[in-house]
């Protein structure tokens, strides 16, 4: 089994943390993993994207071809649209509905959401508001990761939780638990929309 994932967003939103947790969970499950270089992470507010390839078999390339991604994960709705050419016809989009207006000509959000609404397999959620309601505005990325867990066949949710525990352990128990709580809220939302 193989799953190819494109992670997209804006610098400072936590794409790198999502990639790290997924990678940790994949290794815990004994999967093969390739990750293309994360582009854009050095510029807060700039676009960020990464290719993650997970498989039970060896992987020889770290880049996902156009039309090959099983999943596009985006912390910003317009970034989800940007990577649609990489999505398979039966692929999923999981995106935050909160825009990050980092350009002067950002299109009307209704237009962006309208385009995403045309996709046959899409989960949109307001990860920012969910995270704030849980008391941890900085954990919107973990809300989104939880939503991803609802459609990601190759990784078990508990392995992702363990990945969160490992990655955030140095920040203390309170941070770990707030991120697990955010993950669980996203997972619940995803399962209710599937």
């Amino acid at each position: 089994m193989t799953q190819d994932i494109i992670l997209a967003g804006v610098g400072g939103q936590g794409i790198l943390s999502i990639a790290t947790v997924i990678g940790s969970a994949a290794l815990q499950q004994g999967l093969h993993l390739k990750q293309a270089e994360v582009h854009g992470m050095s510029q807060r507010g700039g676009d960020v994207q990464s290719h993650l390839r997970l498989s039970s078999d060896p992987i020889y390339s770290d880049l996902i071809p156009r039309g090959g991604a099983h999943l596009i994960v985006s912390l910003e709705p317009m970034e989800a649209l940007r990577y649609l050419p990489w999505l398979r016809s039966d692929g999923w989009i999981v995106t935050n509905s909160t825009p990050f207006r980092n350009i002067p000509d950002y299109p009307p959000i209704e237009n962006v959401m309208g385009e995403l609404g045309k996709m046959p397999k899409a989960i949109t959620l307001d990860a920012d508001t969910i995270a704030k309601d849980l008391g941890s505005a900085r954990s919107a990325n973990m809300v989104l990761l939880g939503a991803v867990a609802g459609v990601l066949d190759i990784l078990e949710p508990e392995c992702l939780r363990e990945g969160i525990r490992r990655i955030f352990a140095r920040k203390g128990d309170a941070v770990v638990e707030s991120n697990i709580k955010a993950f669980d809220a996203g997972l619940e939302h995803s399962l209710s929309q599937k």
Side-chain angles (χ1 to χ4, degrees), residues 95-118:
T95 186
N96 188 3
S97 62
T98 305
F100 188 101
R101 291 182 172 90
N102 57 337
I103 56 174
D105 56 348
Y106 194 101
I109 191 61
E110 303 79 29
N111 296 355
V112 173
M113 297 311 292
E115 288 301 310
L116 288 170
K118 294 176 184 175

Side-chain angles (χ1 to χ4, degrees), residues 33-50:
L33 165 71
K34 290 269 186 187
Q35 179 178 355
E37 180 179 338
V38 178
H39 296 281
M41 68 181 182
S42 63
Q43 179 183 353
R44 183 170 291 278
D47 68 310
V48 178
Q49 62 94 12
S50 179

Side-chain angles (χ1 to χ4, degrees), residues 32-84:
H32 296 269
L33 165 71
K34 290 269 186 187
Q35 179 178 355
E37 180 179 338
V38 178
H39 296 281
M41 68 181 182
S42 63
Q43 179 183 353
R44 183 170 291 278
D47 68 310
V48 178
Q49 62 94 12
S50 179
H51 291 214
L52 273 176
R53 304 191 77 197
L54 311 173
S55 181
S56 52
D57 300 313
I59 304 166
Y60 299 102
S61 172
D62 55 358
L63 294 178
I64 299 168
R66 283 181 175 249
H70 296 88
L71 177 62
I72 293 174
V73 180
S74 182
L75 276 157
E76 203 288 324
M78 195 172 78
E79 292 300 319
L81 287 180
R82 182 190 308 259
Y83 293 100
L84 283 182

